[in-house]
Structures are given as C-alpha cells and as structure tokens.
Amino acid sequence: MRKRADIVGRWGEEKATLYLMEQGYQILCQNYWTKHGEIDIIAQHGNTIIFVEVKTRRSLAYGSGIEAITRKKLQRIRKAATHYLTSSATFYNDIRLDMIDIFISKEGTRSTYRVKHIQHIDS
C-alpha cells in the first residue's frame, strides 16, 4: 500500500506538470531517476532546460516547500541534472533549477490548492 504522502506527492507532481504545460513549457521527462536521486520534472521553455523539484504540502507544520530544499538536496538535483545533460544529445543555451510549491488547503468540505513557481532556486 502506498503511503498517503506518496499519493499527495504524485498528485502535486501532476498538478505541477499541468501548470507548466499551461505556461507553455514542453515536458521532456517526469520522475527521472539516477543513483544521485530523482528529478520530478524536466521541461524545456524556449532553448532553456529546466529541472523542477515539486513540493506538495497540506500543512505548514514542517515548513514550506522551499524550506525543504536543503543544500544537500540541491547537490543531488545538480548531480542528477548533470547526468541527464551528459546523456542527452541536445544543446541548451540556458539551464535552470526551479521549484514548484503546491499548498493544499481545506475550506469547509472542499479542498483548493495554490501553485507557486519559484525560478532559479540555486541562485
């Protein structure tokens, strides 16, 4: 049986993918795995390749999504991104690390969510 957090995380990744597509991004890959870790979404916008980490929260009890991106997590994303780039024959003018923070809130019996796209999380 899958953990509830896994289900919420996958749901958030689906919403993030739809959001990026609505913004004109082309999705190249989802859940790219390497020995260094996973990249949730790899997208292209113009001649820029974007590696996207998605964090979905139902509560701020453990902090916001951006607070969960530690220096160690950034290092793993960079290593996985390097792995992807070295195995790709495509040249990109620019490379970017982004984060999509999805917060689910409950209003009465109805749940709503907010999407926050943070560009250049490694800057």
Side-chain angles (χ1 to χ4, degrees), residues 51-64:
F51 298 94
V52 183
E53 176 70 13
V54 180
K55 293 294 182 189
T56 306
R57 297 284 191 254
R58 295 167 18 123
S59 161
L60 295 177
Y62 297 103
S64 68

Side-chain angles (χ1 to χ4, degrees), residues 36-37 70-81:
H36 305 291
T70 63
R71 178 172 284 147
K72 188 174 182 178
K73 177 70 174 174
L74 270 177
Q75 285 178 323
R76 287 196 303 264
I77 294 169
R78 283 187 193 110
K79 287 179 181 180

